[in-house]
Amino acid sequence: MHHAFAANSLTSETTFCYWQCATCRVARLHADGVNADLNRFYATEYQPSSKEFAYGGTTLLSRLRGANFRRIGRRLERLVPKGRVLDVGCGSGVFLDAMRRRGWVVAGLEPHKSSAYQLRTTRGLDVTDATLDQVSSEWGPFDAVSLLDVLEHLSDPRRALRKVWHLLRPGGVLVLATPNVDSLEHGFFGASWYALQPPDHLWLFSARSLMNLLVSAGLGSAFFAVSPVSYAWPSLLRRLRLPPPPAPLDTAMKAIAAPPMFLAAGVTGAPAQLEVYARKLES
């Protein structure tokens, strides 16, 4: 059985609908034509978060994201020795930069062509302007692959994870982060929850559905880690129909709102972000 829930677009007054499986809780955007030209959209129009970082700038937001990515790096290093890491959908390059500073050999995939170009020329990062589908499995093996806020954008998540399986070395580790459709925040903010983001987010996962997907793709020994990510502040602005304040204040409010939501989510076991680490199985 399935049921539907509403989601407001970030850029218009349009309301979209997701269909959610009552058993595994995975949700799929129900809309015609949203897959029609995704490659062109992500190559030219989509704006990665902290985009100023790709151009050599640093802001409070990129610093906060860098701190979170260093935390992810430390967790990865408990599971696999430092080696080669591929960041799929590397956006503005904050994660790649953090991992390079930690001693990893880094490579990135970023379909947004101008961001990929800037990361190569300004940050000196090995970034290819392509999608996961467009690269050869022979590019590996990588010791680690990251999909941070990426899986929800992909038309075929299972195919993407099978490609990751081929790119990882035996025993290599995937780190994946994606919004939690069963989060406390989604329950509270409903259609105004900022992480819904239709029509960009085609899929929304629960912990159960994400674990099922990983296992079906040959990725096991998986465990969920506690993520401090919260969408509470921008969701509140959307609920109240208020424009965001100037960037420094907006970022500060995101940081201030996150800890209480993090604590509440910890008590209820329903974090805003699912963060999972999984190892390549031989199959």
Side-chain angles (χ1 to χ4, degrees):
M1 293 182 60
H2 294 76
H3 74 272
F5 62 83
N8 298 330
S9 169
L10 294 186
T11 57
S12 70
E13 295 299 316
T14 305
T15 298
F16 289 85
C17 176
Y18 285 90
W19 285 100
Q20 185 172 36
C21 173
T23 303
C24 73
R25 307 287 296 164
V26 68
R28 177 70 163 89
L29 182 64
H30 182 69
D32 295 327
V34 295
N35 290 337
D37 206 4
L38 281 178
N39 285 342
R40 183 197 60 79
F41 172 70
Y42 288 121
T44 59
E45 297 179 34
Y46 188 79
Q47 293 297 313
S49 181
S50 301
K51 62 182 179 180
E52 73 289 334
F53 188 84
Y55 290 81
T58 303
T59 63
L60 177 59
L61 179 59
S62 63
R63 288 192 178 97
L64 289 174
R65 297 184 75 229
N68 184 44
F69 290 149
R70 289 191 294 274
R71 177 190 58 81
I72 289 174
R74 290 192 295 272
R75 283 182 172 163
L76 265 179
E77 289 158 15
R78 297 188 193 113
L79 301 171
V80 65
K82 292 180 183 179
R84 297 182 71 207
V85 59
L86 171 66
D87 187 23
V88 178
C90 60
S92 56
V94 180
F95 180 71
L96 282 182
D97 182 72
M99 294 301 282
R100 181 172 62 178
R101 290 173 184 272
R102 296 187 66 81
W104 289 71
V105 177
V106 302
L109 284 176
E110 175 48 53
H112 192 261
K113 294 183 181 298
S114 65
S115 293
Y117 174 78
Q118 288 298 327
L119 288 173
R120 290 192 298 268
T121 57
T122 305
R123 293 288 180 179
L125 291 165
D126 177 13
V127 175
T128 302
D129 52 320
T131 65
L132 197 54
D133 283 338
Q134 294 167 338
V135 298
S136 168
S137 298
E138 303 303 315
W139 193 22
F142 290 92
D143 299 280
V145 174
S146 54
L147 278 81
L148 306 177
D149 298 305
V150 169
L151 196 67
E152 61 272 17
H153 294 267
L154 304 181
S155 58
D156 191 339
R158 185 182 183 279
R159 185 175 67 185
L161 292 183
R162 283 301 297 172
K163 185 63 166 286
V164 168
W165 187 92
H166 287 290
L167 288 168
L168 279 168
R169 69 161 174 81
V173 173
L174 164 72
V175 55
L176 189 156
T178 190
N180 179 11
V181 70
D182 282 343
S183 68
L184 181 67
E185 288 185 8
H186 184 204
F188 183 78
F189 291 106
S192 297
W193 189 43
Y194 188 82
L196 296 176
Q197 298 188 22
D200 301 347
H201 289 184
L202 304 178
W203 297 90
L204 296 164
F205 296 93
S206 66
R208 181 176 181 180
S209 61
L210 188 56
M211 190 65 75
N212 290 344
L213 183 65
L214 289 166
V215 170
S216 73
L219 295 157
S221 303
F223 71 91
F224 289 91
V226 178
S227 171
V229 171
S230 168
Y231 305 95
W233 170 248
S235 301
L236 179 62
L237 293 178
R238 298 194 71 222
R239 169 70 69 83
L240 299 177
R241 296 180 176 272
L242 296 174
L249 177 58
D250 190 46
T251 301
M253 290 305 300
K254 289 177 183 176
I256 291 169
M261 294 304 298
F262 171 76
L263 292 173
V267 171
T268 60
Q273 184 97 316
L274 296 171
E275 184 180 310
V276 63
Y277 298 77
R279 198 176 296 278
K280 175 178 177 176
L281 303 178
E282 290 302 320
S283 61

